[in-house]
Amino acid sequence: EEQEGGAIAMHLCHGTFINCIIEDSVAEFGGGVWLGGVGVYNFINCKFIGNRAERLKPEVFENVFGGGVMVFGPAGQPNETSARFEGCAFIGNHSDYRAGGILIGNNNVELVDCMFTDNTCTSGNRRNGTAIYGFNPGNLLIAGVTVRDHVSAPGAAVYLLEYVPPEYTGSPVRTNVEIRNTLVAKGMTGTGLMVSSDSIDNLDVSCTNIYGGFPGNWIGQLLPFRDVAGNLQVDPAFCSQWGDPRMVGSGSPMLAAHNTCGTDIGRVLGGDCVTVPVLVSDFFAWREGSRAVLSWQGVHPGESGLRLERVSASRPEVLALAEALEARGGGFRFVDPEVPGSG
């Protein structure tokens, strides 16, 4: 039998998860989470990090889906599975076939205010759905979502497909997709968003920015929506490759004050993008009790303190270390003001 849901597998039930972290789990279908059959599921402010859908039994299941999450309902019954992901982050998940971040099929799913970054998949000559793969997705809402930094060539980061085999005799397949206030841009190879079928019953796209894809941004079934209904194809002005992936410059057209929609486009935060390189010498790091201390010769941070970025491929973190203390050798040391006793 197939292995479903490396951390969580749910069927015929209702479940709500708040502020959860699903990390480094493995299965064939739904590396982190598998939601199937009939049920109602809610994930609020959850993170899916580094999960994998792997070919554990390639002689049985060559194709695996949903590195982070797989949501799949009964064929021909798109309203009997309901899942909502709100304020969630899908980071660094992988599938050995398709749907690195999430697979959505035959159900009713909402992705609201979510972030997808650095998810991957490998699927022969098509890496489709490195972030989101919708296969006969039923009723799908994508709203306030940011998709960035996905290597998808020659496929697409977000791939939506309706396919009904000729021999199918079940209930009629209906697909309704609404995409609004969503950002698909930066760090991509391949197409950002692809709708692969002319048979999707209802498709509506508004206040959405698709930028930087190859061979194009608003192509195929998306072409009628280009440059209308607040849709854009402009540089979103992200602050940095590192740090908080939501950050855009204070003048970014993704912010409500700088676009015709009057709402933010994508899951973004606006601010001043300031990077000041400094030269230091004699860098040391050591531990004093429960705290880590950094020390070096060179620039004094002044009143603004120091912004220290801890960077990894899957989980960039930013630590604002604002307190500067004199250290040995005439340098300065910085401690985390949020850690009790670290000053």
Side-chain angles (χ1 to χ4, degrees), residues 53-101:
E54 293 187 354
R55 290 187 173 101
L56 302 177
K57 299 185 292 294
E59 70 283 358
V60 180
F61 299 106
E62 181 180 358
N63 300 333
V64 294
F65 297 92
V69 175
M70 178 172 176
V71 190
F72 208 84
Q77 302 178 51
N79 295 311
E80 293 198 20
T81 298
S82 174
R84 179 180 175 90
F85 299 84
E86 180 177 352
C88 294
F90 296 74
I91 304 170
N93 302 287
H94 175 80
S95 170
D96 281 351
Y97 184 58
R98 294 181 180 172

Side-chain angles (χ1 to χ4, degrees), residues 121 124-128 130 150-157 188-191 214:
C121 64
N125 63 350
R126 284 287 185 272
R127 284 184 285 189
N128 281 327
T130 48
H150 287 84
V151 177
S152 308
M188 296 188 303
T189 66
T191 303
F214 180 83

Side-chain angles (χ1 to χ4, degrees), residues 255-271:
L255 300 175
H258 302 292
N259 62 59
T260 59
C261 294
T263 60
D264 288 350
I265 296 177
R267 187 179 181 185
V268 294
L269 293 174

Side-chain angles (χ1 to χ4, degrees), residues 111-132:
L111 301 172
V112 179
D113 297 332
C114 291
M115 167 67 70
F116 290 79
T117 182
D118 293 312
N119 301 287
T120 59
C121 64
T122 54
S123 58
N125 63 350
R126 284 287 185 272
R127 284 184 285 189
N128 281 327
T130 48
I132 302 168

Side-chain angles (χ1 to χ4, degrees), residues 288 290-291 323 335-343:
E288 292 184 357
S290 62
R291 68 188 181 189
E323 184 178 358
V335 294
D336 190 338
E338 296 184 358
V339 177
S342 66

Side-chain angles (χ1 to χ4, degrees), residues 8 10 13-22 33-35 39-48 69 71 81-88 90 102 108-112 114:
I8 297 172
M10 301 183 71
C13 58
H14 292 192
T16 296
F17 300 82
I18 301 174
N19 299 327
C20 63
I21 299 176
I22 310 297
V33 175
W34 180 86
L35 308 173
V40 178
Y41 316 104
N42 294 283
F43 289 82
I44 302 171
N45 296 329
C46 290
K47 296 180 180 180
F48 306 89
V69 175
V71 190
T81 298
S82 174
R84 179 180 175 90
F85 299 84
E86 180 177 352
C88 294
F90 296 74
I102 185 171
N108 184 5
V109 171
E110 296 179 351
L111 301 172
V112 179
C114 291

